[in-house]
Structures are given as C-alpha cells and as structure tokens.
Amino acid sequence: MKRSLLFSALIGAVASARSMTPMATIATARLAHRDTPGDLFLLDRPLFKYGALAMGVGELLGDKMKTAPDRTVFLGLLARVMSAGIAGAALAPHGREKTGAALAIATAVPLAYLTLAARKQAMASIGQTRSGLIEDALIVSAGAALVSLATGPQHGSGAITRP
C-alpha cells in the first residue's frame, strides 16, 4: 500500500492548536515501541523524547493561565513550525520527509489563526479554562489517533509488522 502525506498534513492541523502535542505524541509512540514511516532523529534521543513529553504537558497546563500568549505570536508560531516540521517528517513516507515537514508547516501556520479565532469565540462563551480543556481533549485525542494510525510496531520488537 502506498503511503500518502495525509498524516503529515493532519499533524500540522494538530500543531495549529497545540504546538507541542505533535512531538509529544510521537515521543509517546516511540516509548510504546512504534516505528514512524519517515526517519526520526531527534525524538529517538532520550533528552529530546522526554523533553517533548514535558513540553507537551507544560503547554497543556500553561494554556489555561490568564497570561498565556496567543498562539500567533512569533514564538508560538516558531514552536508550531518546529514541532509540525519534525512530526510531519516523521509521519511522511520514507524518502519524502522534507515534503512531509513542509506540508505540516504549511498547514499549521495558517490554521493557527483559525484555531485562535475559534478559541477566542469559545472563551467568550464558556471561559478560558473550560474552552482550553475542551480544546485539549479534542487536539490531544486527534494527535494520538493520527500517530497511532500512522505508526507501526518497531522492527525487532517481536510484534507483527504491517505491510
């Protein structure tokens, strides 16, 4: 079966709302002994793997603070570019990592403005914390589902591998 770049684009959409979730979900998959279709360098190193998990949790907590900056400020967009690029490359078919990274970034940045507008609307209706928790549930679930569907058991793990 030929693999497409769909997962790269979709993980970019996840990054638009939660910048660290793509890397955290891939780090979690690697800890669960799952292989990514594309080559993955940074998140196989323990410092980066556990750092991605910590940053993912930290973002979920920090997002509920009144002082949390908008996701479209420079550093927020930079974090999205980096996370979407790494995750988009990892979920791309082998040999198409650069295209997967570019597609994920091209999805994440413009959608960050749309997801921010939706979040602001939700905040006006139900408040910052409640809207953030709902967004967290949706985005983390989507990220986990995407990465689960896009990855398979690591070779040599004793598990049956996919074709």
Side-chain angles (χ1 to χ4, degrees):
M1 180 169 105
K2 184 175 172 151
R3 298 185 72 76
S4 74
L5 293 166
L6 178 62
F7 290 118
S8 296
L10 292 174
I11 205 70
V14 168
S16 75
R18 289 289 176 273
S19 63
M20 294 296 117
T21 296
M23 288 195 318
T25 55
I26 291 194
T28 301
R30 296 304 277 180
L31 287 169
H33 306 291
R34 297 187 62 83
D35 264 338
T36 57
D39 286 333
L40 184 63
F41 301 105
L42 286 179
L43 291 179
D44 276 337
R45 292 182 172 31
L47 176 67
F48 289 100
K49 190 182 309 183
Y50 293 108
L53 290 172
M55 289 189 305
V57 171
E59 180 181 34
L60 296 177
L61 297 172
D63 178 64
K64 311 315 168 289
M65 297 172 54
K66 300 286 185 210
T67 58
D70 285 346
R71 62 192 71 177
T72 56
V73 300
F74 175 75
L75 289 178
L77 289 176
L78 180 62
R80 278 162 180 71
V81 164
M82 292 170 51
S83 180
I86 291 168
L91 298 183
H94 183 72
R96 299 190 67 198
E97 291 89 352
K98 288 180 183 177
T99 304
L103 182 58
I105 292 165
T107 303
V109 173
L111 277 183
Y113 291 90
L114 292 174
T115 59
L116 176 61
R119 175 69 187 280
K120 284 184 174 182
Q121 217 170 19
M123 284 171 52
S125 298
I126 60 174
Q128 182 171 0
T129 301
R130 187 180 291 167
S131 65
L133 291 173
I134 291 168
E135 189 178 42
D136 288 348
L138 292 171
I139 297 304
V140 171
S141 297
L146 287 170
V147 171
S148 177
L149 290 170
T151 61
Q154 283 180 346
H155 298 303
S157 66
I160 299 171
T161 58
R162 311 181 281 168

